[in-house]
Structure formats: C-alpha cells, structure tokens
Amino acid sequence: MKRIILSLCVGLAAFSPCATAQGQWSNSFTADDARNARERGEILPLKNILRPIESRYGGEMRRFVGLFDRNGQKVYVIDWTTRQGELVQFTINAHNGQIISVS
C-alpha cells in the first residue's frame, strides 16, 4: 500500500504545473547569471517587471519561477495572484518587459 501511495505522489509531482512550466524552457539562469545579465543591460531588474503587472492586474507575486532562455530570448516566468485571488502565470520578455503570455 505504501508503495502505491509513493508511486502516485511521484507521478503527480512529475506532472505538476511547476514541473511542466520549467520543462518548456531551457537554460535556467543562476542568480549570478541573472545579476551579470542585468548589469550588462541585457535584462530589466525584476522590480521593473513587477510594477506594470501590479498596476494592471493588482495582487502580488506568489512565486518567482525563474529566468529562462526561450529560443534565444531571456524570459521571466512569474506566478501571480490577482486581486480577485486568481492564480496566473506570466511569461515576460526580460529585455523589454513585454508580457508574452498569461496562463
């Protein structure tokens, strides 16, 4: 019985939103990589990315998923809770702050 429950938990974890979201992109950046890219002017600071989202959608960042390379483009992926309590995930161009997708 314990083996069945453990197998189910492992299987569910593999298909969780976090696992599938991170699987869509390659080359997750370390904190040092992100800082260096920001200092070189390749990406905007995260706080500059969050301000327009907060003013447009209200609410707050629930979780910073990461900075990823998506087909040669650096993107921020952010989980956000709107003022209505809805959980959404933003994919944002890290260079210019443009929202690429909301899901």
Side-chain angles (χ1 to χ4, degrees), residues 46-60:
L46 185 58
K47 66 180 179 180
N48 293 10
I49 299 293
L50 298 179
R51 282 187 201 128
I53 295 173
E54 185 175 18
S55 65
R56 181 173 176 187
Y57 293 90
E60 60 188 16

Side-chain angles (χ1 to χ4, degrees), residues 52-61 80-84 90:
I53 295 173
E54 185 175 18
S55 65
R56 181 173 176 187
Y57 293 90
E60 60 188 16
M61 181 174 67
W80 191 268
T81 304
T82 67
R83 66 180 71 123
Q84 290 82 20
F90 290 97

Side-chain angles (χ1 to χ4, degrees), residues 49-95:
I49 299 293
L50 298 179
R51 282 187 201 128
I53 295 173
E54 185 175 18
S55 65
R56 181 173 176 187
Y57 293 90
E60 60 188 16
M61 181 174 67
R62 180 169 186 187
R63 185 171 72 96
F64 176 70
V65 178
L67 174 65
F68 299 92
D69 184 288
R70 181 178 173 199
N71 301 322
Q73 179 183 45
K74 292 176 182 70
V75 297
Y76 284 116
V77 179
I78 298 166
D79 287 344
W80 191 268
T81 304
T82 67
R83 66 180 71 123
Q84 290 82 20
E86 181 182 10
L87 178 63
V88 295
Q89 186 172 77
F90 290 97
T91 302
I92 302 162
N93 181 314
H95 179 70

